[in-house]
Amino acid sequence: MALLEVRDLVVRFRTHDGTIYAVNGITFDVEAGETLGLVGESGCGKSVTNLAIMRLLPKPAGRIERGRVTLDGVDLIALPESEIREMRGRDVAMIFQDPMTSLNPVLTIEEQMVETIVAHRAATRADARKRAVELLGMVGIPHPETRLRSYPHQFSGGMRQRVMIAMALALEPKLLIADEPTTALDVTIQAQVLELLKDLTARLGTAVILITHDLGVVAGMAERINVMYAGFIVETAPTPDLFARPSHPYTVGLLHSIPRVDAAEGGELVPIEGVPPDQRRAPVGCPFAPRCAWRVEACWADNPPLVPLEPVSRLVATGPGATHQIACHNPPLPDEARTGRPTRPGFVAAPPPGAVIDELAVATPDVEATLVEFPTTDAREERR
Amino acid sequence: MTATATPARRAAPARASRGLWRDALVRLTRNGPALLGMFFIVVFVLAAVLAPVISPYDPIAGSLANRLQAPGTAGHVLGTDLQGRDELTRILYGARISLQVGVISVLMGLAIGGTLGAIAGAFGGAVDNVIMRIVDVLLAIPGILLAIGIVAWLDRGLPQIMLAVGMTNAPIFARILRGSLLALRESDFVVAARSIGATPLRLLLRHMLPNALTSLIVAATLALATAIIDVAGLGFLGLGPPDPRTAEWGTMLTDSTKYLREAPYLIFFPGVAIVISAIGFNLLGDGLRESLDPRLRR
Amino acid sequence: MAKYIVRRILSAIPVLFGLSIVLFSFIHLLPGDPAAALLGQHATPELTAKIRQQLGLDQPLYVQYLQYLTQLLHGDLGKSVINNRPVITDFATRFPGTVELTLAALLFAVGIGIPLGRFAARHTQGWQDGVVTVISLFGISIPIFVLGLTLQYVLSVQLHWLPTSGRLDPRTTIPSVTNFMLIDTLLAGRPDAFVDALRHLILPAIALGSIPLAIITRITRASVLDVNNEDYVRTARAKGLTERRVDDRHIMRNAWLPVVTVIGLQVGGLLAGAVITETVFSWNGVGRWVVEAIQDHDYFVVQSSILIFAFIFLAVNLIVDIGYAYLNPRIRYA
């Protein structure tokens, strides 16, 4: 049994404008002490997944519609509010994206750290304070004794994120969810904070779910990566495997949209066309189909399940030997993954069902021309 | 290139601003409370405009023989007042005064406050400083007290009342307009327009004012509610229209206070008229605010 | 912090200065001759000239203004032209009545508005929020005099629960010491009169407090909802704090800030509203005095009252701003 098991999790939001299909049945595990990267564009359901695990979805709009989440075998979704509250901070802790807004501006760092400790431990304030000093020292804040009495606005962004890390690790949780922990920081500070995070969680044996849109960040941090798109996991693999053999068109697209220093091997920048789908519509077919250059007819109607890339005798869910899985009807060939476009002779991305196909476009197969045919993004614009 | 063109088109300011108004209108027509507010306003305006058509009676002359008829008396749905005048008629004619004075006073406030605010917000610096200190002074005098002062000194009369009520709103409008102009000065699209060489006047008129207008429109709508209440308040304090026989809601209330025991309806009906028209503008103002700034919606 | 307070006090000075100019201009620049107005139908050219001289109206404007300012700085607000008493004396005897009324109204507005706003914010999806919204809509849409007269009719005339008007039963006499009725009755050792004074205070306080109540309710609701969406509240919940602690410590400590500012701004409205409330309830305070002065063309009384009201308004907001700074460490340690 893995530390965290997420099974077929479905999260939806009920808003004025209708239902938002945020997370559409995802399954994954996190092993004790393991670091899992959760990668995808904004709005792909990364953060929602983790708020759902913490049962912190915005009320009453956000609802867990289906699925199971267990931590050490305890079903988090069935847990009464008072018990899930006790687990928050103690068993699962969170660090958020913007350290500028994640700390309460009118309370001192001391108050905010001490209240976390006394909320879960039968500690006196003095003991809690001692622990807070120790923690601040641990995350590399100079003069922790005096700094404890400061207010958040008296710290720099990087220092605040260190405080957040100290607070999150105060009770040595089993799982730390870090939601874009360095996105709001300067590049030079980013590396320091990531290093600190890696170091401390390794020392404490804390499992980490690292949410990011930055493949560079996960590459150095995570042992395993889940790539998410529109509320689905589209590819999962151990980190070295994913970078060596990206196999879902979206992963290929992501890797090609970041500039790389080792661009010698034909790694030209290829942007992913279009925008993510409108999540106010129930997903039909593969969510990536409208933007995909490899799509075949089946992609429009049938959403492919997450299956092993190569036949395996036993599925491994966690650890460095985890099975490489993708959800794709027509995965790019290794050569195509390198160039970022389909190179099979005569291959044309399948037009959307029911679209009137320009004869000329069919006669002269051309990726650019077929892209013109998609009405999806436009229909979305009209409704804004 | 439909797909790739989309993000660029979304950023185009012209489309965004036209879209803003159209979207706001659509949202407004779906806003139940705002529609109710508009309904009250329509009733109020119709009462004011059609008063002579609806009522066969004279709002000023009555017969003492006919005084203090209870509501429901034949021919007098809302009864008659101390002078034997039809109460409904006086309420309808009272709507004329309230509407006229309310609208004109808010317009005067907009003209004075808007000008001050536009100058302060457009120029900034020392000009802004001087104007805003004047605004501070006016704001330091509590609302209706300023109006009372002005009417007391300028003597009673409808134009004086309009100016007095307008002056209570002017500093508020000035502050709002200046605030949004200053915020807009630093906004990305104005900086962008400036960087491609738009003239200051064009910047102000074409880029900043239309965007700053939204909050001013909301404030003006809400100010109409306060204006109606303030005008009635002045009337109640005996600072209403110079002719004491004029059908004005506040004045009608003062006249009736001594007969609270005998004829409470003479308090009730004008009171309801004031409250309903104030609710109408308050609901519409809130609705406008919500539809012009969808982020506010909860 | 000290620097902030000094700066705040200094910033109020030009406003007071400007105010004195505005009020001065009211009398001297606007059409209408105060001397003629004073005399009314008794005006003859000789008498008018004499009064003008007495009032210093024959001097150049700037001289008149400097005189006026010097007098003001010495606490001299002029004399009533009706009874020739110094304005400040009459003001002092009437002011406690207004303070009593205004504070009671403020207490009513804050004491009910804040819990009501929090309650509405906690139930945005339910009918409770709708009810609170309707209450506050009525609150801002009902003029003081309409609500006051309605309360008088229903609770006094019909139900006889509370007295109609005045500050005390006319048959009771209490020696005036502080002119605060609630204090004077206690000083006189008359708990029965104290209760009576309290009963007299209820209706005017409700009538006067209804608008601030509505505004405070609205702002509290909006502020709590705003803060509820802040990242740090999510952090607090993610730390496993109890909902109660999140509410009291993390939400309210921040949600208070805009509410405090708005409460300060309501004081202006309360002082102005006192003018009307005191008229409705025959309440012996500054407000009714001002209305009488207007009717009597007693300009100096009106002018001075407005000046004092504005001064109080500025002073209260100064105190509120300092309180705000104290509650908000971003200003306290800036």
Side-chain angles (χ1 to χ4, degrees), chain A residues 54 56 60 85 88-89 96 101-107 111-112 115-116 120 151 153-154 164 167, chain C residues 125 231-232 234-235 237-243 245 249-250 253-254 257 327-330 332-333:
Chain A
M54 292 285 270
L56 282 173
R85 185 187 60 70
R88 288 184 200 133
F96 297 100
T101 56
S102 296
L103 288 165
N104 195 324
V106 302
L107 303 177
E111 284 173 273
Q112 299 189 53
E115 70 176 358
T116 315
H120 298 288
Y151 286 90
H153 72 272
Q154 293 164 315
M164 283 297 290
M167 216 152 73
Chain C
Q125 301 299 315
D231 289 349
Y232 54 78
R234 192 178 54 184
T235 307
R237 293 209 168 99
K239 292 196 298 191
L241 304 183
T242 58
E243 199 50 34
R245 188 170 172 92
R249 200 102 184 109
H250 288 265
R253 274 295 303 273
N254 285 281
L257 296 172
L327 284 174
N328 189 346
R330 276 163 297 190
R332 207 188 330 158
Y333 294 102

Side-chain angles (χ1 to χ4, degrees), chain A residues 78-216:
Chain A
L79 226 49
E81 182 61 35
S82 62
E83 284 172 45
I84 186 85
R85 185 187 60 70
E86 282 170 24
M87 295 193 79
R88 288 184 200 133
R90 187 188 67 195
D91 298 329
V92 193
M94 264 185 126
I95 302 173
F96 297 100
Q97 171 168 354
D98 191 350
M100 295 304 189
T101 56
S102 296
L103 288 165
N104 195 324
V106 302
L107 303 177
T108 58
I109 300 301
E110 175 174 351
E111 284 173 273
Q112 299 189 53
M113 292 197 69
V114 166
E115 70 176 358
T116 315
I117 297 164
V118 293
H120 298 288
R121 289 221 179 123
T124 63
R125 286 193 69 87
D127 287 345
R129 194 173 183 284
K130 217 179 287 165
R131 172 84 177 128
V133 173
E134 192 185 305
L135 284 160
L136 284 191
M138 195 171 85
V139 296
I141 288 177
H143 317 296
E145 273 283 345
T146 41
R147 292 304 263 161
L148 209 49
R149 281 190 292 273
S150 306
Y151 286 90
H153 72 272
Q154 293 164 315
F155 285 85
S156 70
M159 284 293 158
R160 281 192 225 187
Q161 202 61 307
R162 284 170 191 265
V163 171
M164 283 297 290
I165 293 172
M167 216 152 73
L169 296 178
L171 297 144
E172 301 184 5
K174 296 170 193 148
L175 175 66
L176 174 70
I177 299 172
D179 192 345
E180 306 262 8
T182 56
T183 309
L185 302 177
D186 286 344
V187 184
T188 47
I189 309 291
Q190 277 188 14
Q192 295 172 11
V193 170
L194 286 175
E195 202 49 49
L196 176 75
L197 202 57
K198 193 174 175 181
D199 186 52
L200 287 177
T201 51
R203 209 181 329 148
L204 299 170
T206 316
V208 179
I209 299 180
L210 179 68
I211 305 176
T212 179
H213 64 272
D214 186 344
L215 280 167

Side-chain angles (χ1 to χ4, degrees), chain B:
Chain B
M1 294 277 105
T2 318
T4 41
T6 312
R9 200 178 51 193
R10 196 190 313 157
R15 181 178 181 270
S17 85
R18 201 181 332 126
L20 173 76
W21 291 102
R22 200 181 48 202
D23 290 356
L25 199 68
V26 170
R27 276 193 293 270
L28 195 64
T29 54
R30 287 190 197 141
N31 184 326
L35 288 178
L36 183 67
M38 279 192 257
F39 173 73
F40 286 154
I41 294 169
V42 168
V43 170
F44 172 53
V45 172
L46 284 181
V49 174
L50 298 179
V53 181
I54 301 172
S55 166
Y57 300 104
D58 187 314
I60 296 194
S63 76
L64 283 176
N66 226 354
R67 71 196 292 265
L68 291 179
Q69 300 277 338
T73 313
H76 301 290
V77 185
L78 301 185
T80 61
D81 71 359
L82 308 168
Q83 264 78 44
R85 298 169 294 202
D86 181 57
E87 185 71 1
L88 176 61
T89 306
R90 287 182 58 77
I91 284 176
L92 293 176
Y93 278 88
R96 300 193 131 192
I97 302 265
S98 287
L99 182 67
Q100 189 190 346
V101 179
V103 169
I104 296 179
S105 70
V106 169
L107 288 179
M108 284 169 109
L110 277 175
I112 301 167
T115 312
L116 288 176
I119 294 172
F123 292 98
V127 181
D128 175 39
N129 224 325
V130 169
I131 291 182
M132 290 328 285
R133 292 296 80 75
I134 298 174
V135 166
D136 282 346
V137 169
L138 288 175
L139 277 178
I141 306 177
I144 198 168
L145 209 59
L146 179 66
I148 291 172
I150 293 175
V151 176
W153 271 294
L154 294 186
D155 222 348
R156 294 166 58 181
L158 284 187
Q160 286 90 325
I161 296 173
M162 291 169 187
L163 178 71
V165 176
M167 281 305 286
T168 63
N169 284 319
I172 300 171
F173 293 147
R175 239 190 205 182
I176 289 172
L177 189 58
R178 168 190 177 263
S180 25
L181 285 179
L182 282 186
L184 283 167
R185 264 157 66 105
E186 307 307 322
S187 71
D188 292 344
F189 75 89
V190 171
V191 172
R194 199 179 294 138
S195 72
I196 58 166
T199 61
L201 190 68
R202 187 183 155 75
L203 263 180
L204 181 66
L205 295 180
R206 188 84 191 82
H207 293 274
M208 289 162 72
L209 268 183
N211 283 286
L213 228 48
T214 54
S215 41
L216 207 58
I217 289 174
V218 172
T221 311
L222 293 172
L224 274 166
T226 341
I228 289 170
I229 291 175
D230 284 351
V231 170
L234 286 174
F236 181 78
L237 291 175
L239 296 171
D243 182 349
R245 295 171 306 166
T246 312
E248 191 276 319
W249 292 340
T251 317
M252 287 162 68
L253 281 170
T254 323
D255 294 344
S256 316
T257 46
K258 290 186 191 69
Y259 294 84
L260 194 58
R261 220 169 283 270
E262 297 84 347
Y265 63 92
L266 291 180
I267 300 290
F268 184 70
F269 294 132
V272 167
I274 300 170
V275 172
I276 291 220
S277 29
I279 285 183
F281 287 109
N282 276 325
L283 282 177
L284 180 63
D286 286 344
L288 277 172
R289 192 198 338 247
E290 282 165 19
S291 24
L292 285 169
D293 188 354
R295 279 165 304 168
L296 280 173
R297 206 164 48 161
R298 294 222 155 82

Side-chain angles (χ1 to χ4, degrees), chain C residues 97 100-101 104 151-152 156 161-172 181-182 185 192-207 277-278 280-284:
Chain C
E100 209 168 66
L101 173 62
L151 290 172
Q152 267 182 349
S156 305
W161 285 359
L162 291 165
T164 322
S165 59
R167 293 179 68 188
L168 202 63
D169 190 304
R171 285 160 297 185
T172 320
M181 209 49 96
L182 293 179
T185 49
D192 58 317
F194 175 80
V195 172
D196 186 46
L198 209 55
R199 281 161 49 86
H200 277 84
L201 189 55
I202 294 175
L203 292 187
I206 294 176
T277 315
E278 291 177 9
V280 175
F281 290 94
S282 312
W283 188 269
N284 197 4

Side-chain angles (χ1 to χ4, degrees), chain B residues 133 136-146 148-150 152-154 229 232-233 236-239 250 253 257 260-261 264 267 271-272 274-275 278-279 282-283 286 289 298, chain C residues 15 18-19 22 26-27 30-31 137-138 140-143 145-146 149 152-153 157 218 222 225-226 229 268 271-272 275-276 279-280 291 294-295 299 302-303 306 309-310 313-314:
Chain B
R133 292 296 80 75
D136 282 346
V137 169
L138 288 175
L139 277 178
I141 306 177
I144 198 168
L145 209 59
L146 179 66
I148 291 172
I150 293 175
W153 271 294
L154 294 186
I229 291 175
F236 181 78
L237 291 175
L239 296 171
L253 281 170
T257 46
L260 194 58
R261 220 169 283 270
I267 300 290
V272 167
I274 300 170
V275 172
I279 285 183
N282 276 325
L283 282 177
D286 286 344
R289 192 198 338 247
R298 294 222 155 82
Chain C
V15 176
L19 199 65
V22 169
F26 263 143
I27 289 198
L30 296 175
L137 176 66
F138 269 97
I140 50 167
S141 303
I142 295 192
F145 46 93
V146 173
L149 291 168
Q152 267 182 349
Y153 179 71
V157 176
R218 279 185 163 204
L225 287 177
D226 257 2
N229 283 330
L271 289 173
V275 176
I276 291 176
T279 309
V280 175
V291 174
I294 289 171
Q295 279 151 7
Y299 290 144
V302 181
Q303 184 191 33
I306 292 180
F309 273 19
F313 178 62
L314 288 174

